[in-house]
Amino acid sequence: MTYARSVLSVPGSSQRFLDKAGSSAADVVMIDWEDGVGNDDKGTARELTNGFLHAQDPSAGPVWVRVNATYTEHFDHDAAAVNQWANRPSAVVLPMATLESAKTALARLDGVPLVAMIETAVSLEQAPHIASLDRIVGLMFGEYDFLATMAASGASRMSDTGWAKSRIINAAAAAGRWSIAGPNADFSDAAALQEQSRREASLGFAGKLCIHPNQIGTVNEEFGPAPEYVSWAKDLLEEIERGNHGGAFRFRGQMVDAPVIDRARAAVRLAGATR
Ligand code: COA
Ligand code: MG
């Protein structure tokens, strides 16, 4: 699956937003049928999404669909729609995932890869097991829902979610999956988005959910391998091709050994997978 730095959430009930998303610079377009769409508009969202998937040029990048949670009255209709379509999304995003609901969704959605949203305390506790299920390709943090459920259990002043983020990142990585950070709702504060993105990328998230097109540029810059690092890594790999370097050696004033080389290789590979 394509490496995703920016995932743009687009309410599926709005043709205007869908038109805009089709030509956006986001690595992935996630068409939302859940929180971004009112109860009366769920049917419209499914129809417009089907139209979008038909019209979309496959080279424009992956399209994901965020369905409604398995416990809602909408999920059956969501799953039936996705299963019927000739042009399927590259992945389905499952909100409010638990181990049980992820198993249900996997059973109900024929063969589609799933991204599980970790957005409750239970979900976080089960994250390593959810991430290990077949066809789960990644975890995404539902930070706002997580804060809401934590507030309901007394943590109404909670704002430091770093510890939860770390656990999601490692749960995903331990299963060989990537993880995506939650969105920043304040789409008019570019500096805050940059600071948050930088911290989340340094913690280990592969990418971040965006809710507005003006967030994509910053997120694409802050996630993924840093260009300066990739260029250094390419030089290092060339140097290794040329010379006979075993064990530790010196390269541009730094010590290089096997793990340093492995990390450089991984970054160059990822940089090549970013569209
Ligand atoms: N996807 C695609 N296009 C979007 C967009 C999105 N998420 N958000 C805004 N746009 C487009 C608008 O259509 C507008 O383009 P246009 O003038 O050519 O039509 C342009 O970007 C500027 O939009 P702006 O006027 O600044 O925003 P708005 O007031 O129309 O909408 C929100 C603001 C928050 C309602 C909207 O960005 C949104 O719905 N975001 C996604 C919400 C979501 O998915 N939530 C659930 C997931 S966490
Ligand atoms: Mg939600």
Side-chain angles (χ1 to χ4, degrees), residues 32 34-36 66 71 95-96 117 119 142 144-146:
D32 185 28
E34 196 221 12
D35 289 341
R66 181 164 77 170
Y71 55 77
M96 296 292 183
M117 293 200 70
E119 33 193 1
Y144 291 112
D145 271 294
F146 186 71

Side-chain angles (χ1 to χ4, degrees), residues 10-86:
V10 188
S13 51
S14 162
Q15 188 60 54
R16 191 166 66 96
F17 285 176
L18 288 169
D19 288 343
K20 196 91 181 174
S23 58
S24 85
D27 287 341
V28 172
V29 168
M30 181 188 88
I31 304 181
D32 185 28
W33 296 350
E34 196 221 12
D35 289 341
V37 174
N39 276 340
D40 295 342
D41 295 327
K42 304 284 187 190
T44 307
R46 289 183 207 107
E47 271 170 41
L48 296 184
T49 304
N50 195 14
F52 183 90
L53 287 166
H54 267 284
Q56 183 75 341
D57 173 359
S59 68
V63 177
W64 298 350
V65 167
R66 181 164 77 170
V67 296
N68 292 278
T70 53
Y71 55 77
T72 64
E73 57 181 310
H74 310 294
F75 179 77
D76 277 355
H77 302 288
D78 293 349
V82 172
N83 286 336
Q84 264 169 29
W85 288 346

